[in-house]
Amino acid sequence: MAPAYIVGRVADAAGNALAGVRLACYNEWYRYPVVVSKESGEYDVAVNQAQTTWIVVVLDQADRPISPEVALAFDPAEACRYILDWRRVD
């Protein structure tokens, strides 16, 4: 299987980095541990599995989704990097 990554940046409405934002990445078989955005707002998840669709969502402190779910189709035959940036809109 080729390596693949889901990476991105989390920002506020003005485009400033948001640190400590919790994100979940999962598919129908597996859920990675919660990922937290760094001080730069950046986050990354290495995904190496069979052909599947990964779902990424922002979580609150109680692990409840607070953003729309984004679906990323993954092909294990291709090395790739998905870039998924989030911007707060409240």
Side-chain angles (χ1 to χ4, degrees), residues 10-12 15 21 23 26 31 33 35 41 44-45 50-51 53 56 59 61 71 74-75 77 80:
V10 184
D12 64 14
V21 175
L23 298 110
Y26 61 93
R31 178 178 166 159
V35 174
D44 55 88
V45 180
Q51 187 166 348
T53 297
V56 183
L59 302 172
Q61 292 300 319
F74 173 62
D75 181 350
C80 59

Side-chain angles (χ1 to χ4, degrees), residues 42-84:
E42 296 175 347
Y43 70 95
D44 55 88
V45 180
V47 291
N48 289 317
Q49 282 211 356
Q51 187 166 348
T52 188
T53 297
W54 288 101
I55 305 296
V56 183
V57 64
V58 176
L59 302 172
D60 67 11
Q61 292 300 319
D63 282 345
R64 293 182 301 244
I66 57 171
S67 74
E69 292 181 340
V70 176
L72 301 169
F74 173 62
D75 181 350
E78 298 179 16
C80 59
R81 184 175 78 151
Y82 297 94
I83 300 173
L84 180 57

Side-chain angles (χ1 to χ4, degrees), residues 8-23 36-43 85-88:
R9 184 172 184 269
V10 184
D12 64 14
N16 302 306
L18 288 175
V21 175
R22 300 162 44 81
L23 298 110
V36 179
S37 63
K38 302 168 188 151
E39 191 167 321
S40 63
E42 296 175 347
Y43 70 95
D85 292 334
W86 298 86
R87 187 172 215 151
R88 190 174 184 161

